[in-house]
Amino acid sequence: MSYKLGLLLSTVFLMAVFLMGADLTLLNATFQQVDGIAMVVAHRISMDGGLQEATVEYVKSQGATFTAITNGAPAIGDTYTFAVERAYTPLILKKSPIDVRVTRSCVVGFYRPDY
């Protein structure tokens, strides 16, 4: 009889460990997606010579938010700093959503061959 109780309790603890592992894996996958979006945005800003509305729309279409950290419009050769953020709703880690934020910098006009 006691082995049934032990099996039941260990199953509950094992499920909690599996859910925690799944949460960490999904959180890592969300971070990788946001990092990929940020790399695309940095490349687009460098190619376009500045921030374009199409780049912000791309970030919104991916389910993330764009935040400019650098104030004003940067000139060619300036460093532009920005952040891309997406919310992740965890399974067991926390009751409220976790904001996954990636901050990147790029050189404006770096990939442009005509400058």
Side-chain angles (χ1 to χ4, degrees):
M1 185 70 176
S2 65
Y3 75 92
K4 290 181 183 179
L5 182 61
L7 181 66
L8 184 65
L9 286 175
S10 66
T11 304
V12 170
F13 293 135
L14 190 63
M15 287 303 292
V17 169
F18 280 140
L19 287 174
M20 180 119 169
D23 247 353
L24 294 176
T25 302
L26 292 172
L27 188 62
N28 186 28
T30 303
F31 176 78
Q32 289 177 352
Q33 290 172 352
V34 173
D35 187 40
I37 294 168
M39 286 193 302
V40 169
V41 168
H43 187 46
R44 283 186 175 188
I45 290 172
S46 293
M47 288 289 292
D48 296 339
L51 181 64
Q52 304 294 328
E53 188 63 32
T55 305
V56 177
E57 290 299 321
Y58 167 75
V59 174
K60 287 181 184 177
S61 71
Q62 296 296 317
T65 57
F66 179 85
T67 306
I69 297 173
T70 303
N71 294 330
I76 301 297
D78 288 347
T79 303
Y80 189 77
T81 306
F82 62 92
V84 177
E85 185 175 353
R86 181 188 283 174
Y88 167 70
T89 306
L91 301 172
I92 197 171
L93 286 177
K94 199 174 174 185
K95 291 188 184 221
S96 61
I98 298 173
D99 293 328
V100 179
R101 181 180 175 130
V102 174
T103 303
R104 291 282 179 264
S105 297
C106 63
V107 178
V108 178
F110 182 75
Y111 292 109
R112 299 281 307 249
D114 54 340
Y115 290 119

